[in-house]
Amino acid sequence: MNKVVDLQKALEHVKDGMTIMLPGFMGVGTPETLVDGLIEKGVKDLFLICSDTATPERGNGKLIVNNRVKKLIASHIGTNKITGQKMNAGEIDVTLIPQ
């Protein structure tokens, strides 16, 4: 059984409102191609579980900036000012979990 699928096949399974968990810290180790694919596909209202939201132009932060995340569980949002702004404005429900 081949456990590797191409991007389009992986994205077929992602729908609005789904919970997804993505790896990476400070943008390192984040599957940038997958993040870009999610943005291009236009999925929204995601429940994102990750270590952090990197920066606005890198890693999981791109999902925040492009308004794809409705709820977030992370341990660090300090390097992405947009995440903090959206949290304070009530646009994203953020739960911070210590590492």
Side-chain angles (χ1 to χ4, degrees):
M1 177 165 131
N2 187 358
K3 296 178 184 177
V4 178
V5 296
D6 66 27
L7 178 62
Q8 297 311 316
K9 185 74 169 168
L11 290 173
E12 285 176 11
H13 302 285
V14 183
K15 310 288 184 222
D16 291 351
M18 288 185 82
T19 299
I20 61 171
M21 180 181 266
L22 293 173
F25 187 71
M26 306 298 286
V28 177
T30 303
E32 297 287 346
T33 303
L34 181 59
V35 170
D36 292 341
L38 291 166
I39 293 166
E40 186 176 314
K41 181 175 178 176
V43 291
K44 61 185 187 291
D45 297 331
L46 294 171
F47 180 169
L48 176 62
I49 303 168
C50 59
S51 192
D52 72 334
T53 57
T55 63
E57 61 282 335
R58 187 164 185 208
N60 299 324
K62 292 188 284 186
L63 292 169
I64 302 295
V65 170
N66 285 282
N67 301 311
R68 305 298 187 211
V69 179
K70 184 175 184 176
K71 184 169 181 163
L72 170 69
I73 293 179
S75 62
H76 187 269
I77 63 169
T79 56
N80 188 333
K81 294 178 185 178
I82 305 298
T83 306
Q85 291 168 357
K86 288 181 177 288
M87 178 183 72
N88 290 334
E91 296 172 21
I92 297 177
D93 178 7
V94 176
T95 301
L96 295 172
I97 305 291
Q99 289 188 8

